[in-house]
Every structure is written in C-alpha cells, then in structure tokens.
Amino acid sequence: MSEQVGLETNIIKMKSDIPVNLSTKDLHVWYGKNEAIKGVSLEFEENKITSLIGPSGCGKSTYLRSLNRMNDEIQIARVTGEILYHGKDVNTPETDVYEMRKNIGMVFQSPNPFSKSIYDNISFALKRHGIKDKSALDEAVETSLKQAALWEQVKDDLHKNALALSGGQQQRLCIARAIALKPDVLLLDEPASALDPISTSQVEDTLLQLKEKYSIIIVTHNMQQASRISDYTAFFYLGNVIEYDETRKVFTRPKIQSTEDYVSGNFG
Ligand SMILES: Nc1ncnc2c1ncn2[C@@H]1O[C@H](COP(=O)(O)OP(=O)(O)OP(=O)(O)O)[C@@H](O)[C@H]1O
Ligand SMILES: [Mg+2]
C-alpha cells in the first residue's frame, strides 16, 4: 500500500488514492544539539491503526509528541518541517494549539486520570471547550465511555473517584477522555505497557473498535500487539524511519534487514 520512494530513508508516501489526514514533511526535532528526529516524511491513512516500533531512544515518542505539538512544552525542543493536518501545516506560530489538540488527542504511557470523579474526568475538558449543558455533558460522558468499552463497568459509579479504578480501567477512561472531544486522530504512547495481559487485550479491543471513527497512531514495544492491531507499521531507528509498510509485510517480508532483525528479536 505504501511505497518507499527510491531508497531514501524517511520519505514514505501512500499511493495517491489512499485518504490521508495527517502527515509530516521533513520533520526534524532537536533537543539542544541532539537531533532526535532526522527529517521524517510519513503519511497516515484515515481510519487505520499505525504502529511506531523501534528500539529504546530511537525517537518514537518524540515523533508522536510532535504530531500534536506536545514538544512545545519541552523548553529545549525545536521542531522544524511541516505537520500537515488535512493538508494544512499546523507547525506554525499562528496555529491554535489548544484547538488542534482537540482534533489530535493523546493518551500517555501510564494512565493519568485526574483525582476527580469518572464523570468529571470526561466532562472537564468539554466544559473548558464551552459545553455547559448538563444533558449534552451526560450524553458525551456516556457515549465516550461506551466507545472506550468502559460504560458497563462504571455506569452506576460515575461519581466515584477515577483513581479507584484498576489500571486497565483507568487507561480506558483516559481514552474516553480523549475521544470525548471528538478528535479524528488519536495518538497513544505505549498505552498498555503498564497493564496486565487481560487489560492489555481489552485496550487492544477498544482500539480496534475505535478505528472505525478515528485514525490511531500507537507507539508500542510489543511486537505481538503491533501485528495484532495495526494496519501499518513504521520501524524507527536512530531518529530515522527505516521502513514503513502494511503491518503484515513488515512482519513477514520486510524489505530491510535491520527491520527483519528487529521484528524477529535479533536486533543489537
Ligand atoms: N525531554 C527530553 N529532553 C531531552 N532529550 C530528550 C527528551 N526526550 C527525549 N530525548 C532524547 O531524544 C531521543 C529520543 O527519545 P524518545 O523518548 O523519543 O525515544 P523512544 O523511541 O520513545 O524511546 P523508548 O522506547 O525508550 O520510549 C533520545 O536520545 C532521548 O534521550
Ligand atoms: Mg518512548
């Protein structure tokens, strides 16, 4: 589906008939003098799950965070190049970052619900975005909890503190919180790494359901997870994207030897 243009690392375009809602062009990220992302151009297909894989320190989180400008929060980080959201460059000073993060939501590695009720965890951001009507809030809370496959477990306890939920439930609450704002892209950085196998599989099932509505980009160290849930996989190494293709190709017939070594566990 994707094609590697020439033999150049980092520049991977989708075929022209594939709908793309997010892409980067020549994206570089520096932390001071350390260049963590070295000119990555990738396109993400709508309503698909894309996994970012690669060894520790190769720039997966840095790249993911740049997609919704979270690196802005890191003082020494500098990001150049284009981040195109529906064709518009959002890596510009004029971009309303707050509004943009409503469209490109993020879920972090460790579940980080607020010490508030389940209901308030979800309604908080909606209120800040101007939704005040109680019935609209009730409906948004219910819908997003249902989409995150948590509703049945918490519907009678919406006013319980979110920190009393299990880790897997907290992570699904964080997913519900992100999707309540109706983003169309969801970024997840190792969302299941702190979870047991049952919670992990619940989060994976949730993501598979969500891709009907959202485009999902997920960083994972879990090769089985990448091959189970993602349509596309990008292999990052030392700040470059070495290979990006349909997941089944990356896992069964990679074009590049280092990808093969990594996915088969023989790396380094
Ligand atoms: N906040 C930061 N300040 C300075 N350097 C950073 C920061 N975050 C990451 N880096 C550096 O950028 C490089 C890429 O790190 P990054 O966290 O993106 O890797 P990663 O692929 O997500 O690794 P892991 O799999 O361990 O999470 C590393 O050299 C790291 O030290
Ligand atoms: Mg990381």
Side-chain angles (χ1 to χ4, degrees):
M1 210 68 99
S2 64
E3 48 186 274
Q4 209 134 358
V5 179
L7 283 176
E8 221 174 332
T9 309
N10 283 344
I11 304 182
I12 295 122
K13 293 177 86 61
M14 293 286 177
K15 286 185 179 151
S16 54
D17 56 338
I18 304 254
V20 165
N21 55 359
L22 186 67
S23 61
T24 61
K25 264 196 197 155
D26 198 26
L27 195 85
H28 296 255
V29 183
W30 281 269
Y31 296 107
K33 290 203 167 76
N34 175 19
E35 188 179 16
I37 292 293
K38 300 174 178 164
V40 169
S41 302
L42 282 190
E43 300 186 326
F44 298 99
E45 183 175 349
E46 278 179 18
N47 297 96
K48 299 285 180 196
I49 301 183
T50 302
S51 289
L52 312 183
I53 63 168
S56 198
C58 66
K60 304 175 299 293
S61 298
T62 298
Y63 182 76
L64 190 80
R65 277 201 306 267
S66 68
L67 295 174
N68 72 345
R69 301 266 308 262
M70 292 301 270
N71 287 325
D72 287 17
E73 319 297 323
I74 300 172
Q75 275 211 338
I76 58 165
R78 190 162 64 87
V79 181
T80 67
E82 292 175 28
I83 301 161
L84 298 160
Y85 176 63
H86 291 283
K88 186 172 177 287
D89 186 11
V90 292
N91 192 27
T92 63
E94 304 79 55
T95 302
D96 179 343
V97 174
Y98 188 63
E99 194 58 32
M100 177 225 183
R101 289 186 191 148
K102 189 177 157 212
N103 298 322
I104 308 178
M106 189 149 195
V107 175
F108 298 89
Q109 183 167 4
S110 8
N112 60 347
F114 311 123
S115 177
K116 289 174 180 288
S117 70
I118 294 167
Y119 185 97
D120 288 347
N121 261 274
I122 298 174
S123 62
F124 182 71
L126 293 165
K127 285 183 187 157
R128 282 184 62 189
H129 279 280
I131 301 169
K132 302 273 189 285
D133 178 59
K134 166 104 172 51
S135 61
L137 288 170
D138 288 353
E139 196 189 315
V141 168
E142 179 170 340
T143 308
S144 48
L145 284 170
K146 279 183 175 158
Q147 286 181 5
L150 190 58
W151 174 251
E152 287 304 321
Q153 293 164 49
V154 301
K155 63 182 181 196
D156 300 322
D157 283 320
L158 293 178
H159 296 287
K160 185 166 98 176
N161 192 300
L163 299 179
L165 296 170
S166 73
Q169 290 173 327
Q170 288 187 19
Q171 197 58 307
R172 278 178 289 150
L173 177 62
C174 294
I175 293 173
R177 187 171 68 182
I179 60 183
L181 292 168
K182 298 200 167 56
D184 68 349
V185 180
L186 197 56
L187 310 174
L188 303 109
D189 196 347
E190 300 188 54
S193 67
L195 306 181
D196 65 55
I198 291 170
S199 308
T200 298
S201 113
Q202 287 167 344
V203 168
E204 288 179 7
D205 289 345
T206 304
L207 297 180
L208 285 169
Q209 285 171 27
L210 290 177
K211 80 168 181 177
E212 288 177 18
K213 289 200 164 58
Y214 309 93
S215 311
I216 295 174
I217 305 172
I218 174 171
V219 171
T220 181
H221 276 284
N222 181 330
M223 294 301 106
Q224 284 83 18
Q225 180 167 72
S227 63
R228 271 194 302 262
I229 66 170
S230 57
D231 302 283
Y232 294 99
T233 296
F235 173 54
F236 277 69
Y237 184 53
L238 297 176
N240 294 303
V241 175
I242 304 295
E243 188 157 356
Y244 179 37
D245 213 325
E246 288 170 21
T247 296
R248 62 188 171 83
K249 290 191 191 157
V250 171
F251 280 88
T252 56
R253 282 176 280 124
K255 295 192 189 87
I256 314 271
Q257 184 64 41
S258 51
T259 314
E260 171 147 18
D261 292 345
Y262 186 73
V263 300
S264 60
N266 296 320
F267 199 81

